[in-house]
Amino acid sequence: MKITDGARDLLLQILEEEEAACLRLYFAGYGCGEPDIGMTIGEPEADDELYHLNAIPVAIDKRIEHLTAELTIEGKQTMEGPKFQMVGLPEKDC
């Protein structure tokens, strides 16, 4: 998994403002028979694997860890605030 420099800069700012421990990727149910990945700012949970990627502490739910190998998190500032996108997720057959 990778975090772009743009996403890193935004995430560092958010983590500081929210006084949060990490970016967390979690199992968010099933879509089209495949696990969905959710993303939030918060605390790691007991079953998470912890990483430091491009200076960002990241907790990944073990149930979806195998889906994150080719994942890239991109981010940009918009008029509505920071926006993040996960690129490289496996294609779903729906």
Side-chain angles (χ1 to χ4, degrees), residues 42-62:
E43 302 295 322
E45 295 193 3
D47 289 335
D48 291 346
E49 288 291 331
L50 300 175
Y51 299 91
H52 273 82
L53 305 169
N54 200 4
I56 300 296
V58 181
I60 302 176
D61 185 327
K62 288 181 183 177

Side-chain angles (χ1 to χ4, degrees), residues 15-70:
L15 288 169
E16 184 178 322
E17 288 172 1
E18 299 292 324
E19 297 180 1
C22 66
L23 172 68
R24 182 167 187 270
L25 302 181
Y26 62 93
F27 172 72
Y30 286 97
C32 302
E34 296 291 328
D36 284 332
I37 299 174
M39 186 167 53
T40 190
I41 298 293
E43 302 295 322
E45 295 193 3
D47 289 335
D48 291 346
E49 288 291 331
L50 300 175
Y51 299 91
H52 273 82
L53 305 169
N54 200 4
I56 300 296
V58 181
I60 302 176
D61 185 327
K62 288 181 183 177
R63 294 176 290 178
I64 52 95
E65 186 176 15
H66 65 284
L67 298 173
T68 64
E70 301 299 319

